[in-house]
C-alpha cells in the first residue's frame, strides 16, 4: 500500500479486510516483577486501552488518525528502539561495525531450557544442592572431621552419607534435566525448509570461541558414546540412519503429492529442494464462478489467480476515479499494493529451499513452512498457498487455545512463490524490539516499486504496515494451509514464546515451611548439647589433684578454655545425626512416589481426551490434604464448555425447547420430582424434534442437516420461516439467520461422504454453535471465496462479499461484519453482549421490541443459558466509503494502530437496529453436583468466581448443589458504587450474625475451621467486589463470607479472582485451591496454595500454569479426599518418626558422655553412626510415607468427613513434634541405661575367657537394642500391617546384625574384631534387647490403647467398622464413587423419540391446560410485590407476541416452553435481575443508546457468549 496516496478518494474497498483484534491482557504484579529485566532490556512499550478511555469520559473520535510520513520522527525513534532487517539490499554504513560486519548481533535460534550441560553439570548441580542449609551443615561437619584434633576416627568414611545423598539428588536432577535436553535437541534439530545459496546480509559467520568448541566437542563425544551404547541394545533403523537423519533425507509425501507436472523435480539423492514444491499458477480457475466452485480440488492454489499483472496501469489508475461502467456495475479497480520483487533485477538463480535444522535459522532468512509443521521462529508471512493470502495457525503451545487463528500474508509479497522470487525481493523490514506481548506487533515493510517499462526511472517508495495478523509465532502449528513463505524477524530467546516462557511462582508446601522451624529447634538442642559438653570438659580439665594428673598426658588444647572449645566442635561431629540430613532426600523420594501414584490412578484418567491426572509440582502433594477453600471458575470448569444453541428470540418472539440443568435445579427446590418432570419434557422435546426435522426437509432437502447434531428444537420457528405468521416474521427470521451465517470468522472444512459433512473451526465454541444452528435451519456456510462467503440459503447458493470484519475482543464485547449483499446493499451485522448492543441501538426506536427481547433474554439467563444480542445496520455507499477511508488510514498506522482501529470501529457500530437474541447452553460436566456435595461433606468451602451474569451463576449454583431453597440468599450489590454505602450494607448483614468486623472476631475466625451452617449464601458482582476488596472493607467482607455456606462472585476480572484468593488465604490463614480451565484463570491458579488446571475443550493455558492437571472437575474429589489426605497424613507421620529416631540415637550417645567427663568418646563404632540413617532405619520410614494407608480409597470417599483433620491441621502440630521428641528422649534413656546397668554389677566373658565389657562391645548391646526399638516404634505407628511392611522392618533390624557380623569378621575393624560372635553369643544380649524393646514401647502402646478405647478419633471408629464388615458393600465397586443419582433430567442426550400417541377422551393434565395471561388475576403463587402489573414483575401479558403479525396458528403443542418457564420461575422467586437492574429487561428497556446519542452513560456489560 502506498502510504502517500492513502488520503485519496476511493469508492470501493478491498474485498476482505479483517481486524484481528489483540486481546489486551494485563500482566499481573508478580509477572511484572519477574520480567522487569526483560522489559527493561527490550524497552517494551504497552499500548493503552481505548475502551478504558471511553469509560473515563473521553469520547473517541477520528480526528487523530493521520497518515504517517516516512521521514517522521516517530519512525526514527522506532528504528532506534527496534531493528532493521535488510533483504537483498547492502547494509548501510550505519548498520556496520568498524570491521564491516553487521553491527547488530541477534540471538541464535538454538534453545536450551535445560539447566546443565555435560561440562557444567557437576559444579552447577553442587552449587544448587548446597543452597540447602542441611547439606552445608554436613559439609562443615566433614571438614571438621579432617582435623585429627576433633577426634573423628575415620574422616573419609564420615563423608559417605553426604556423598550418597548428593549423588542420589544429582541422579534425580540429571534424569529430569536429561529429559529437557532430549526435548531441546529434538526441537533444535527439527527439520525445516530454509533458503540456501544466497547471502543473508543481516548476519555474519559465527566466530566460535575456544570455550564453545570445547563444549561442542564434549557434547559430541558424550552423544557418540551414548549412541554407540544404545545401538548395541537395539537394532538400527532402516537404512542405517537415525530418525533425524532420515527426516533430513527422505522426501515429504505431502510435498510430492502437491507438486504439479510443471514443477521441477529435485534429485532424490540431493538434500535440498531446488524449486519450491507448490502447484503452478492456474490463471483461469479462480475466475470461473459456478455452482461447483467450492469443490476442494477446484479451489485456486496460487495468489496469481486474482492478482493483476499490469503493474504500471494499476499504478497509474490508483489515483483516478472509477469509470462509468465500473460505477454502473458497482465495481472499482482493484487497489494496487505493490510488490517487493524487483522486476528489473538480475539474479543468479542458484538459491533453493533446502532442508535444514531449526537451530540453523537466523534473522533475515527466508523460510517455507508446510501444513502441520511447527513454526521455528517468529516469521512475517509474505505469501501463502491460499489465493486470498490467508493461513491458519493453532496456538495451543503458545496460549493454550486450540481454536484456529487466521493470519494474513503481506499484500506486497503475495506474488512470491519460488526460490528465485526470494532472490528478486529487495526490501527492508523495520521491526519493533522483541517484547512479551503475544497479541501485538508493529512493523513496516519498505521497498522501491520499479516500473519495468521505465527501467531508468527511480521508482516509487512504498511501505506496508505489519501487524500481529501478519506474524507467525514460534511454537504455533500451521493448519489447513498447504504452505507459507516468510522471513524471520525474531529467533531463539527473543521470540515471543521464549520471552513468555515465564516463571511460574515457586510453591512450597506448608509442612515444608514448618519443617525449617523444627530443624532450627534441633539445631538449638544440638547447640546446647555441644555447649554442655564443652563446658563440662573445660571445667574437668581445670580441676587439679584429680586422677587425670596421673593417667593422662595432658590435654590437647593445653588450657581449659581451649579444651572446651575443641570439645564443642568435636561434639558437633559426634551428635551430627540430630540434624536429619537424610530427611530431605527421603521426602524427595516420598513425594516423587506420591506423584507417580497420582499420575497412575486410572480412576482419574479422562479417556475422551486421553488425559490422566498429571502432577506438575511434585513437592506440594501434602497440601492437597489440608485444603479448606476451593475457588472455581464456572465456564469450562463446572461446565463442559461445549456449547449447544437452545433458544432464541426474533422480532419479539421466543423460540426453542430445552430442559436445562438450572431449570432442573429450580424445580428441585420446588420439591418437584425432576426425574418424572424431565422425562415428560424430554418426551415433548423428542416429538418436537421429529416435527421440526420433517418440516425442515419439506422446506429444503438440506444435505448438511444431521439429525443427531440438531440442538435448536423449535418447530414453530420453521413454520414462521415458511410464512405462516406473515411476511414480517418470515423476513425477520431470515435476516436473523443470515446474521448468524455471515457475522463470524469460522473456517469451514468439508468431509466427503453421503451425505457430506461440514465441520466448523471457530475461535470460540459459541461461534461454532451459532453457525451450526444457521446450517441446520437451511443457511449453510459452504466456505469462503476470494472476497466473501458462499452461503446455501434454503437450497440457493449465494455469494456475499465480506468488506470488513471487526472482530471480538474482551474490551469491545462485540464483533461486526460489513457485508455487500447480492443486491448491492451494504449491511453491518453486529453481535455482542446485550448491554453493549442495547447501548448502540438507534435512540427512540423499537421500544416494545427492546422490552420483549430484554424479557426473553432475562428468562434465558434464569435458565442458565448464555445470551447474546444480534443487531444490524444498513449503510449507504457514501457513508461506507468515507468510513473505509478512515479505516485504511488506521490500518496503515504504525504507532497506536490498535487504538485507532478501535476508534474507527466504534464510529460505524452505532445507530443499530435490533434483530433479536440467542441463548446457548454450556452444560454441567458429569458428576459435578455429586463432587461438590462430597467436598462439602468433607468440610471444604467452594466459592465460584466467574465472569458470567448473576442470574446465570445463581441458577448454576442451584443445579450443582451450591445453593438450596432453604438458604437466605444475600445479593450484595451497591447501586451508587460508594464506599460508605458498601460499608453500611456490610454492617447490616454482619449484624444479622452478631458481628461487627473487629480484629478480635477475625482472630476467632482464623481458628474456627468448622463449616458454616447452610443457612446463608452470598452473591456479589464485580463492581461491588471492587469496593469490598479495598483495605477499609476487606476484613468485614471476609468475615461476612466466613458465615456463608456458598459464595458466588460474578462478572469478575482475572485480577479480582486472584485478589479474592489472596484475601482468603492471607486473611483466614487457610489452605486454598483454585481450579480453572482458561487463560483468565491463571492468576488465581498461581495465587492459590494449590492450582489445578482442567484440560478442557478451549485450551491448555490453565494446565500449563497449574500444579496439577485433570480432565474433569469430578476428579478433584479423588485427588483431594484420597490422595491429598493420604499424602498429608503419611508425610506428617514420616517426619515425626524421623525426628524421633534421631533423638533416640543421639541422646543415647549423650548419656554415655556423663560417665567420661564429656570427652566426646564414641560409644558406638563410627560405622554405626554413619549407617543409622542411611541403612538401619531408613526403609520403614520411607515406605511409611509412600504406602501407609489408614483406610482404602473407597472408604475415604464414602466417609469424606475423615478429611476434616487435614483442614484443622491436626496431623502435624507442634504438640505432636514435641511429644515425639520427649518420647525419643525417654526411650534413649531406657536404651542406654539398660545396657549400662547390665555391666554395672558384673561383667561377662566369652567361652575363651575374653571380656566383653569394653566400649565397642557395650556399644553393640546398646546400638542393636536401639535399632530394634526404633523400627518397632515405626511399625507401631503404621496403620497398614501387611507382609511388605513386616518384611521391611525385619530387613532393617537384621541389617545391623548382618553388618556387625561382616564388618567385625575382618581384622581391619581393629578393636571391633570378632565383636559379633562374642556379643551375639551371650544370652544377656538377647534378654536385654527384648526387655529394652518392651520397656521403651510400653508407654506408647498404653497411650495408643487408651486413646483408641476411651478417646477414639473418627478414623479409629471407621477402621473398627471396616473390620466389622460394615463397608464390605463397597467391594462391589471397582473404585467407589458415591452412588450417582439417576441420569440427569436435563440431559441433552435424548433417546429415540417415541411415536406420537392418539389422545383419547381424557381431560388435559395440569401442564397441558391453557395458560391465561398472568394479569388476569393475582394468585398466591404468582404475586410479586415488585410487579408492575400485579403479576410477575414485568409488563409481559401474553406469549408469542410479535410487533406486526397476525395470531399464530396452533402447533398441537400444549404450552410453549418459554411460558412454562416463566410461570415456574416466578412461583419460586422473583427475578433478581429484574429487581436489581442488572442486565435485566427493566434495565435494557430503559437503556438509551449511549454510543448513538451525544450523552454518554455508563452501562454494565452483559455476559457475552463470545469467549
Amino acid at each position: 500500500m502506498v502510504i502517500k496516496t492513502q488520503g485519496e478518494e476511493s469508492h470501493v474497498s478491498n474485498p476482505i479486510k479483517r481486524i484481528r483484534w489483540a486481546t489486551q491482557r494485563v500482566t499481573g504484579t508478580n509477572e511484572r516483577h519477574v520480567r522487569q529485566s526483560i522489559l527493561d532490556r527490550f524497552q517494551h512499550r504497552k499500548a493503552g486501552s481505548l475502551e478504558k478511555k471511553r469509560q473515563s469520559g473521553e469520547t473517541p473520535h477520528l480526528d487523530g488518525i493521520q497518515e504517517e510520513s516516512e521521514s517522521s520522527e516517530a519512525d526514527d525513534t522506532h528504528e532506534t528502539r527496534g531493528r532493521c532487517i535488510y533483504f537483498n539490499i547492502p547494509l548501510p554504513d550505519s548498520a556496520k561495525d568498524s570491521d564491516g560486519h553487521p553491527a547488530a548481533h541477534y540471538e541464535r535460534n538454538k534453545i536450551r531450557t535445560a539447566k546443565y550441560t555435560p561440562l557444567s553439570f557437576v559444579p552447577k548441580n553442587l552449587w544448587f544442592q548446597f543452597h540447602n542449609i542441611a547439606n552445608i551443615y554436613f559439609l562443615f561437619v566433614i571438614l571438621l572431621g579432617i582435623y585429627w584434633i576433633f577426634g573423628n576416627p575415620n574422616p573419609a568414611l564420615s563423608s559417605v552419607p553426604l556423598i550418597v545423598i548428593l549423588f542420589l539428588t544429582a541422579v534425580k536432577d540429571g534424569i529430569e534435566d536429561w529429559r529437557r535436553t532430549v526435548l531441546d535437541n529434538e526441537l533444535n534439530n527439527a527439520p525445516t525448509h530454509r533458503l540456501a545459496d544466497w547471502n543473508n546480509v543481516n548476519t555474519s559467520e559465527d566466530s566460535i570461541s575456544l570455550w564453545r568448541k570445547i563444549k561442542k566437542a564434549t557434547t559430541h563425544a558424550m552423544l557418540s558414546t551414548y549412541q554407540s551404547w544404545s545401538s548395541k541394545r537395539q537394532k538400527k533403523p532402516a537404512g542405517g540412519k537415525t530418525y533425524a537423519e532420515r527426516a533430513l533425507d527422505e522426501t515429504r509425501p505431502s510435498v510430492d503429492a502437491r507438486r504439479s507436472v510443471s514443477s521441477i523435480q529435485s534429485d532424490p539423492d540431493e538434500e535440498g529442494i531446488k524449486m519450491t514444491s507448490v502447484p503452478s499458477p492456474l490463471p483461469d480457475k479462480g475466475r470461473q464462478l459456478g455452482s461447483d466452485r467450492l469443490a476442494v480440488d477446484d479451489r485456486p492454489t496460487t495468489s496469481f489467480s486474482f492478482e493483476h499483472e499490469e503493474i504500471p496501469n494499476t499504478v497509474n489508475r490508483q489515483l483516478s476515479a472509477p469509470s462509468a461502467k465500473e460505477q454502473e456495475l458497482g465495481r472499482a479497480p482493484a487497489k494496487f499494493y505493490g510488490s517487493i520483487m524487483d522486476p528489473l533485477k538480475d539474479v543468479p538463480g542458484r538459491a533453493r529451499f533446502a532442508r535444514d535444522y531449526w537451530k540453523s535459522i537466523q534473522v533475515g532468512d527466508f523460510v517455507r513452512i508446510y501444513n502441520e509443521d511447527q513454526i521455528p521462529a517468529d516469521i512475517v508471512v509474505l505469501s501463502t498457498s491460499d489465493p486470498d493470502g490467508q493461513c491458519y495457525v493453532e496456538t495451543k503451545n503458545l496460549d493454550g487455545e486450540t481454536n484456529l487463528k487466521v493470519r494474513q500474508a503481506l499484500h506486497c509479497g503475495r506474488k512470491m512463490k519460488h526460490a528465485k522470487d526470494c532472490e528478486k525481493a529487495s526490501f527492508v523490514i523495520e521491526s519493533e524490539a522483541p517484547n512479551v506481548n503475544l497479541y501485538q506487533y508493529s512493523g513496516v515493510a519498505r521497498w522501491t516499486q520499479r516500473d519495468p517499462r521505465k527501467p531508468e526511472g527511480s521508482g516509487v517508495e512504498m511501505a506496508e504496515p505489519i501487524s500481529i495478523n501478519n506474524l507467525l509465532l514460534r511454537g504455533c502449528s500451521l493448519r489447513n494451509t498447504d504452505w507459507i513463505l516468510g522471513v524471520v524477524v525474531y529467533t531463539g530467546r527473543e521470540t515471543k514464546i521464549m520471552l513468555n516462557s515465564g516463571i511460574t511462582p515457586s510453591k512450597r508446601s506448608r509442612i515444608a515451611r514448618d519443617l525449617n522451624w523444627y530443624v532450627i529447634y534441633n539445631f538449638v538442642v544440638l547447640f546446647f548439647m555441644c555447649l554442655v559438653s564443652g563446658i563440662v570438659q573445660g571445667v574437668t580439665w581445670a580441676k587439679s589433684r584429680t586422677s587425670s594428673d596421673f593417667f593422662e598426658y595432658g590435654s590437647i588444647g593445653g588450657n581449659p578454655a581451649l579444651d572446651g572449645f575443641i570439645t564443642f566442635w568435636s561434639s558437633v561431629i559426634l551428635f551430627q545425626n540430630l540434624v536429619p540430613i537424610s530427611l530431605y532426600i527421603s521426602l524427595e523420594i516420598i513425594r516423587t512416589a506420591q506423584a507417580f501414584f497420582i499420575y497412575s490412578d486410572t480412576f482419574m484418567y479422562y479417556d475422551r481426551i486421553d488425559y490422566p491426572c498429571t502432577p506438575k509440582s511434585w513437592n506440594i502433594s501434602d497440601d492437597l490434604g489440608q485444603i479448606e477453600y476451593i475457588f472455581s471458575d464456572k465456564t469450562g470448569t463446572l461446565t463442559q464448555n461445549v456449547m449447544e444453541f437452545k433458544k432464541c428470540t426474533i422480532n419479539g418472539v421466543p423460540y426453542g425447547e430445552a430442559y436445562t440443568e438450572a431449570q432442573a435445579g429450580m424445580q428441585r427446590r420446588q420439591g418437584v420430582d425432576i426425574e418424572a418432570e424431565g422425562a415428560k419434557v424430554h418426551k415433548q422435546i423428542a416429538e418436537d424434534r421429529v416435527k421440526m426435522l420433517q418440516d425442515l426437509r419439506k422446506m429444503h432437502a438440506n444435505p448438511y442437516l444431521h439429525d443427531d447434531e440438531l440442538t435448536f428444537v423449535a418447530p414453530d420457528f420453521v413454520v414462521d420461516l415458511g410464512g405462516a405468521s406473515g411476511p414480517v416474521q418470515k423476513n425477520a427470521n431470515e435476516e436473523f439467520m443470515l446474521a448468524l451465517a455471515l457475522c463470524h470468522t469460522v473456517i469451514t472444512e468439508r468431509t466427503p461422504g453421503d451425505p457430506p459433512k461440514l465441520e466448523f473451526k471457530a475461535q470460540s465454541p459459541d461461534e461454532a454453535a451459532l453457525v451450526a444452528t444457521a446450517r441446520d435451519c437451511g443457511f449453510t456456510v459452504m466456505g469462503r471465496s476470494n472476497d466473501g462467503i458462499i452461503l446455501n440459503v434454503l437450497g440457493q447458493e449465494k455469494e456475499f462479499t465480506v468488506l470488513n470484519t471487526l472482530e471480538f475482543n474482551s474490551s469491545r464485547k462485540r464483533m461486526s461484519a460489513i457485508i455487500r449483499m447480492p443486491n448491492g446493499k451494504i449491511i453491518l451485522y453486529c453481535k455482542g453482549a446485550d448491554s453493549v448492543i442495547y447501548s448502540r441501538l438507534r435512540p427512540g426506536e423499537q421500544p416494545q421490541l427492546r422490552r420483549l427481547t430484554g424479557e426473553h433474554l432475562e428468562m434465558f439467563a434464569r435458565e442458565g443459558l448464555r445470551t447474546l444480542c444480534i443487531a444490524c445496520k444498513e449503510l449507504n455507499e457514501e457513508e461506507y466509503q468515507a468510513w473505509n477511508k478512515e479505516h485504511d488510514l488506521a490500518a496503515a498506522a504504525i504507532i497506536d494502530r490498535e487504538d485507532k482501529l478501535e476508534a474507527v470501529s466504534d464510529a460505524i457500530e452505532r445507530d443499530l437496529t435490533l434483530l433479536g437474541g440467542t441463548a446457548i447452553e454450556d452444560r454441567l460436566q458429569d458428576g459435578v453436583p455429586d463432587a461438590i456435595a462430597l467436598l462439602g461433606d468433607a468440610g471444604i468451602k467452594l466459592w465460584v468466581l466467574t465472569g458470567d451474569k448473576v442470574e446465570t451463576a445463581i441458577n448454576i449454583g442451584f443445579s450443582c448443589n451450591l445453593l438450596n431453597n432453604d438458604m437466605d440468599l444475600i445479593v450484595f450489590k451497591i447501586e451508587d458504587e460508594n464506599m460508605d454505602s458498601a460499608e453500611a450494607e456490610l454492617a447490616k448483614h454482619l449484624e444479622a450474625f452478631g458481628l461487627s468486623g473487629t480484629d478480635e472476631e477475625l482472630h476467632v475466625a482464623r481458628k474456627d475451621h468448622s463449616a458454616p451452617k447452610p443457612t446463608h449464601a452470598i452473591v456479589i458482582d464485580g463492581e461491588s467486589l471492587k469496593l469490598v476488596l479495598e483495605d477499609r472493607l476487606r476484613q468485614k467482607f471476609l468475615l461476612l463470607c466466613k458465615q456463608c455456606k456458598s459464595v458466588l462472585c460474578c462478572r469478575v476480572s482475572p485480577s479480582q479472582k486472584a485478589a479474592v484468593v489472596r484475601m482468603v488465604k492471607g486473611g483466614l490463614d487457610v489452605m486454598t485451591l483454585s481450579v480453572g480451565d482458561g487463560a483468565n484463570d491463571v492468576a488465581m491458579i498461581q495465587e492459590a496454595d494449590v492450582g489445578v488446571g482442567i484440560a478442557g475443550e478451549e485450551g491448555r493455558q490453565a494446565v500449563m500454569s497449574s500444579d496439577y492437571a485433570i480432565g474433569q472437575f469430578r476428579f478433584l474429589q479423588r485427588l483431594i479426599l484420597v490422595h491429598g489426605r493420604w499424602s498429608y497424613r503419611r508425610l506428617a507421620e514420616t517426619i515425626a518418626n524421623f525426628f524421633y529416631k534421631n533423638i533416640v540415637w543421639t541422646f543415647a550417645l549423650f548419656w554415655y558422655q556423663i560417665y567420661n567427663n564429656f570427652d566426646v568418646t564414641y560409644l558406638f563404632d563410627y560405622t554405626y553412626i554413619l549407617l543409622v540413617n542411611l541403612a538401619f532405619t531408613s526403609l520403614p520410614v520411607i515406605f511409611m510415607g509412600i504406602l501407609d494407608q489408614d483406610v482404602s480409597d473407597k472408604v475415604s470417599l464414602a466417609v469424606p468427613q475423615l478429611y476434616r483433620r487435614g483442614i484443622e491441621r491436626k496431623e502435624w502440630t507442634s504438640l505432636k513434634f514435641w511429644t515425639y521428641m520427649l518420647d525419643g528422649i525417654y526411650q534413649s534413656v531406657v536404651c542406654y541405661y539398660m545396657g549400662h546397668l547390665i555391666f554395672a554389677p558384673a561383667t561377662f566373658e566369652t567361652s575363651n575367657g575374653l571380656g566383653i565389657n569394653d566400649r565397642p562391645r557395650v556399644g553393640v548391646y546398646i546400638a542393636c537394642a536401639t535399632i530394634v526399638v526404633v523400627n518397632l516404634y515405626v511399625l507401631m505407628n503404621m496403620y497398614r500391617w501387611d507382609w511388605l511392611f513386616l518384611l521391611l522392618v525385619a530387613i532393617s533390624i537384621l541389617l545391623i546384625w548382618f553388618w556387625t557380623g561382616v564388618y567385625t569378621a575382618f581384622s581391619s575393624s581393629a578393636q571391633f574384631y570378632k565383636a559379633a560372635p562374642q556379643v551375639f553369643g551371650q544370652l544377656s544380649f538377647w534378654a536385654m534387647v527384648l526387655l529394652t524393646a518392651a520397656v521403651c514401647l510400653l508407654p506408647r502402646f498404653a497411650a495408643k490403647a487408651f486413646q483408641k478405647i476411651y478417646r477414639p478419633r473418627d478414623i479409629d471408629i471407621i477402621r473398627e467398622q471396616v473390620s466389622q464388615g460394615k463397608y464390605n458393600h463397597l467391594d462391589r465397586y471397582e473404585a467407589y464413587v458415591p452412588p450417582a443419582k439417576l441420569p440427569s433430567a436435563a440431559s441433552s442426550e435424548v433417546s429415540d423419540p417415541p411415536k406420537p400417541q392418539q389422545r383419547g377422551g381424557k381431560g388435559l393434565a395440569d401442564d397441558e391446560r391453557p395458560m391465561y395471561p398472568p394479569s388476569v388475576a393475582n394468585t398466591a403463587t404468582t404475586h410479586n410485590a415488585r410487579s408492575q402489573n400485579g403479576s410477575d414483575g414485568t409488563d409481559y401479558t401474553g406469549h408469542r407476541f410479535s410487533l406486526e403479525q397476525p395470531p399464530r396458528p396452533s402447533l398441537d403443542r400444549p404450552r410453549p416452553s418459554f411460558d412454562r418457564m416463566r410461570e415456574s420461575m416466578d412461583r419460586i422467586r422473583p427475578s433478581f435481575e429484574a429487581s436489581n437492574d442488572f442486565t435485566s429487561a427493566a434495565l435494557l428497556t430503559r437503556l438509551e443508546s449511549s454510543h448513538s446519542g451525544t450523552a454518554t452513560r455508563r452501562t454494565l456489560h452483559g455476559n457475552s457468549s463470545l469467549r
Side-chain angles (χ1 to χ4, degrees), residues 3 26 96 242 281 404 554 674 726 789 802 939 1013 1092 1320-1321 1431 1505:
I3 296 296
V26 181
K96 298 178 181 178
T242 64
L404 298 185
I674 63 170
I789 296 179
V802 181
K1013 297 179 180 179
V1092 177
F1320 297 161
S1431 177
S1505 64

Side-chain angles (χ1 to χ4, degrees), residues 25-94:
R25 301 189 182 180
V26 181
T27 306
T29 305
N30 294 336
E31 291 174 319
R32 190 176 296 115
H33 288 305
V34 170
R35 298 173 182 157
Q36 189 61 46
S37 60
I38 297 177
L39 299 179
D40 291 342
R41 182 177 62 169
F42 295 117
Q43 302 177 17
H44 175 53
R45 178 177 58 87
K46 294 186 177 180
S49 172
L50 187 66
E51 190 72 21
K52 295 180 180 178
K53 295 179 182 178
R54 285 201 297 271
Q55 292 179 1
S56 63
E58 298 181 24
T59 304
H61 54 83
L62 304 180
D63 298 337
I65 301 178
Q66 300 291 338
E67 57 189 66
E68 298 171 39
S69 173
E70 297 176 15
S71 60
S72 64
E73 295 181 5
D75 287 352
D76 295 337
T77 307
H78 182 75
E79 284 186 26
T80 59
R81 270 205 313 268
R83 58 179 59 177
C84 287
I85 308 171
Y86 299 86
F87 300 89
N88 296 316
I89 296 177
L91 290 179
D93 293 337
S94 60

Side-chain angles (χ1 to χ4, degrees), residues 126 128-142 162 165-166 169 581-582 584:
L126 289 176
F128 284 130
Q129 288 203 56
F130 279 106
H131 279 66
N132 188 332
I133 187 66
N135 290 343
I136 296 177
Y137 163 73
F138 271 88
L139 178 63
F140 176 72
V141 170
I142 292 170
L162 181 62
I165 289 170
L166 294 177
T169 305
I581 182 176
S582 55
Y584 292 95

Side-chain angles (χ1 to χ4, degrees), residues 864-879:
L865 302 176
R866 296 156 61 93
T867 59
L868 197 70
C869 265
I870 311 293
C872 68
K873 176 184 180 180
E874 183 174 349
L875 306 173
N876 58 52
E877 190 72 30
E878 294 75 15
E879 179 185 5

Side-chain angles (χ1 to χ4, degrees), residues 511-527:
I511 286 184
R513 295 194 298 267
D514 294 342
L515 185 60
N516 285 339
W517 286 106
Y518 298 114
V519 171
I520 291 174
Y521 296 154
N522 275 21
F523 269 115
V524 172
V525 174
L526 174 64
F527 172 78

Side-chain angles (χ1 to χ4, degrees), residues 781-836:
V781 179
M782 304 297 295
R784 294 185 181 270
S785 63
N786 293 349
D787 55 0
I789 296 179
I790 306 297
L791 292 189
N792 187 304
V793 180
L794 299 177
Q796 297 182 1
E797 190 169 290
K798 298 181 180 181
E799 180 176 3
F800 298 81
T801 303
V802 181
L803 301 178
N804 303 82
T805 300
L806 313 178
E807 291 194 7
F808 172 88
N809 71 5
S810 58
S811 61
R812 283 167 41 81
K813 291 186 177 291
R814 64 189 182 277
M815 78 159 290
S816 300
I818 302 177
I819 308 293
R820 186 181 293 277
M821 309 300 282
N823 59 8
K825 290 184 178 180
I826 300 178
I827 305 293
L828 179 144
Y829 291 107
C830 185
K831 62 183 179 184
D834 43 17
S835 60
V836 173

Side-chain angles (χ1 to χ4, degrees), residues 1205 1210 1215 1279 1342-1358 1360:
R1205 273 189 70 82
K1210 290 185 176 179
L1215 177 62
Y1279 280 106
K1344 276 183 169 287
F1346 176 83
Q1347 178 264 315
K1348 292 182 183 297
I1349 295 173
Y1350 298 104
R1351 302 287 299 275
R1353 298 172 182 161
D1354 293 342
I1355 187 62
D1356 301 322
I1357 298 173
I1358 298 302
E1360 187 173 347

Side-chain angles (χ1 to χ4, degrees), residues 267-293:
D267 187 348
D269 296 330
E270 187 175 340
E271 180 180 307
I273 300 177
K274 289 185 178 179
M275 297 298 292
T276 51
S277 306
V278 294
S280 297
L282 302 175
D284 298 331
K285 270 194 173 182
R287 299 177 184 178
Q288 297 175 356
L289 296 176
S291 59
D292 58 345
R293 61 178 296 162

